[in-house]
Amino acid sequence: QFSSINGCDSLISLDFTIDNSYTDTETIVTCVPYFWIQNGQTYNTSSTDSVIFPTIVGGCDSIIYLDLTINPSTTSSATVVECDTYSWNGQLYTASGVYTFLTTNANGCDSTATLNLTINPSTTSSATVVECDTFPWNGQTYTASGVYTYTTTNANGCDSTVTLNLTI
């Protein structure tokens, strides 16, 4: 309270408002580099950052925070040597080559798998033999006519089947 010039009480009231500054957080999860429009920068790795904008809301400074997670894409490769066929990711391959499979990884980002595949063939052959009394073949002696097969491994490690058409 104050006294006026005439000795009377005077009352002064103050209407005071405090404006709070504005803050916001942008939480971003991505797989690729991220361009943050707030500051015009491109981020290639996970980051936290902030930008202060003076007097945007109610004459007070505003702060915008960036909470950025950049998850990586993944790549893998395998070298495989098989006989005749190879099944990979639901596909049956019968020829040598380099194959790729695109999918998403656990983070939802690109995952590229590369298969370096060599397909070696199995081999087959046959022989027709006419003999008297007996015929020794691959460690066994045959005394009767018939069709006999012998399976072994060829130079590539694959099956090699030989058929003997024998007449005794």
Side-chain angles (χ1 to χ4, degrees), residues 6 13 16 39 49 91 96 103 116 133 155-156:
N6 297 326
S13 64
F16 186 70
N39 67 0
D49 204 349
Q91 179 78 29
S96 297
T103 188
N116 300 298
D133 300 323
N156 293 323

Side-chain angles (χ1 to χ4, degrees), residues 1 12 14 16 30 35 47 57 64 67 88 95 110 114 165:
Q1 280 183 330
I12 299 174
L14 174 63
F16 186 70
T30 185
F35 176 77
S47 182
V57 176
I64 299 178
D67 181 9
W88 185 58
D110 288 343
T114 302
N165 298 301

Side-chain angles (χ1 to χ4, degrees), residues 137-158:
W137 187 59
N138 292 313
Q140 189 165 353
T141 301
Y142 294 92
T143 59
S145 297
V147 177
Y148 303 98
T149 58
Y150 178 75
T151 302
T152 188
T153 304
N154 65 21
N156 293 323
C158 299

Side-chain angles (χ1 to χ4, degrees), residues 31-110:
C31 300
V32 294
Y34 181 72
F35 176 77
W36 195 29
I37 196 165
Q38 304 297 348
N39 67 0
Q41 290 185 17
T42 299
Y43 295 85
N44 294 309
T45 59
S46 296
S47 182
T48 55
D49 204 349
S50 64
V51 174
I52 298 175
F53 295 100
T55 63
I56 295 236
V57 176
C60 299
D61 289 347
S62 298
I63 303 172
I64 299 178
Y65 296 97
L66 173 65
D67 181 9
L68 175 64
T69 302
I70 297 181
N71 291 319
S73 297
T74 53
T75 59
S76 63
S77 66
T79 300
V80 176
V81 177
E82 280 293 323
C83 299
D84 302 321
T85 62
Y86 183 69
S87 179
W88 185 58
N89 291 312
Q91 179 78 29
L92 187 64
Y93 296 92
T94 58
S96 297
V98 177
Y99 302 97
T100 56
F101 180 74
L102 303 174
T103 188
T104 55
N105 62 24
N107 294 325
C109 299
D110 288 343

